[in-house]
Amino acid sequence: MQKFLGCMTEDNEHIFTKPPKIIDGSFEKISDLPDYKVISEYIKFPEHQSIWLKNEFNNLENRMAVAIHVRRTDYINLPEIYDVLTKKYYINAVNYFQETYKSVSFWLFSDDIKGAQDFLKDVVRFERVVNSPKDVPVGENLKLMSSFKGIIMANSTFSWWAAYIGYMNGRTVEVVLPSKFSTLDSDNPAKYLSMPGWNMLDV
């Protein structure tokens, strides 16, 4: 029936002899990506930077700063799928950096700044909360996050791409990612989203 309708999932792609009409599934796998040299040709940040981004880079300077990403808004509306990250995950991630490095500063990135601050208020003190103006392209937030030496990812491809770009260009040296990105039984980031040297923590 799926072949007749032209709907391909991850489990039946072998049955298709011609391109399907619909592709349904989760296809975030490092093994499916081309070489980073190819990716970097497609993912190019604009040379022009807003005054906001320039100021953030000035504040970042060259120290051990860690970006903490907390994904909320749309995930809150789908708790049966995305409500997997616990406060314990962030506590252990923060402890990892504090035990590994002498001087660490933490910056918060989130699509719900207030909600994220309330969620982590007894976990970490943020040196800076990244809250870009509405007229700043979201790509500048991604560029900024990918410039951090340390990244604590959320169960989100936004912070994954920031970590991946930063890791591949040599800027990001420490990455913590969650052991699950969703409630799906097949979810296993260790197999398809973790790079060598990244630290995976239980959620």
Side-chain angles (χ1 to χ4, degrees):
M1 179 60 70
Q2 288 174 326
K3 184 176 181 180
F4 174 75
L5 294 174
C7 178
M8 182 182 79
T9 70
E10 292 175 275
D11 298 323
N12 65 11
E13 56 183 302
H14 62 280
I15 70 175
F16 282 86
T17 56
K18 60 181 181 179
K21 298 175 182 176
I22 302 171
I23 299 177
D24 180 34
S26 180
F27 299 92
E28 307 94 341
K29 296 178 182 177
I30 292 176
S31 59
D32 291 340
L33 293 177
D35 185 86
Y36 182 69
K37 290 182 179 179
V38 177
I39 294 176
S40 62
E41 288 299 312
Y42 286 91
I43 302 179
K44 287 184 178 294
F45 295 114
E47 292 185 11
H48 172 75
Q49 295 180 169
S50 68
I51 295 176
W52 171 82
L53 184 58
K54 291 177 181 177
N55 289 336
E56 294 300 308
F57 276 136
N58 288 335
N59 287 312
L60 185 58
E61 295 178 343
N62 191 30
R63 49 186 169 164
M64 189 59 207
V66 178
I68 298 182
H69 185 214
V70 180
R71 176 79 173 265
R72 287 177 58 83
T73 55
D74 56 332
Y75 279 19
I76 293 175
N77 296 325
L78 294 169
E80 68 279 7
I81 299 176
Y82 295 113
D83 189 20
V84 295
L85 292 196
T86 61
K87 200 172 282 189
K88 179 182 177 182
Y89 164 74
Y90 285 102
I91 290 173
N92 290 337
V94 168
N95 287 342
Y96 169 78
F97 279 100
Q98 290 179 331
E99 292 169 2
T100 306
Y101 298 93
K102 290 183 178 179
S103 180
V104 186
S105 62
F106 296 96
W107 292 32
L108 174 64
F109 287 77
S110 181
D111 53 347
D112 176 9
I113 294 296
K114 185 179 185 306
Q117 287 179 301
D118 289 342
F119 177 57
L120 297 179
K121 62 184 178 182
D122 55 349
V123 173
V124 59
R125 183 186 70 81
F126 293 108
E127 178 173 312
R128 195 165 185 84
V129 174
V130 178
N131 193 8
S132 61
K134 291 182 178 180
D135 60 339
V136 168
V138 68
E140 290 204 352
N141 283 270
L142 184 64
K143 183 176 183 178
L144 177 62
M145 192 187 296
S146 68
S147 301
F148 277 71
K149 288 188 175 181
I151 296 178
I152 298 175
M153 289 170 45
N155 52 330
S156 166
T157 50
F158 184 85
S159 48
W160 183 88
W161 273 107
Y164 177 75
I165 293 170
Y167 173 83
M168 294 303 290
N169 66 27
R171 174 65 183 176
T172 302
V173 297
E174 290 275 13
V175 175
V176 171
L177 73 160
S179 59
K180 288 186 72 66
F181 271 54
S182 71
T183 59
L184 300 177
D185 292 336
S186 59
D187 188 14
N188 188 353
K191 287 186 175 181
Y192 58 86
L193 285 177
S194 184
M195 296 291 287
W198 286 14
N199 305 286
M200 183 172 292
L201 299 180
D202 290 337
V203 298

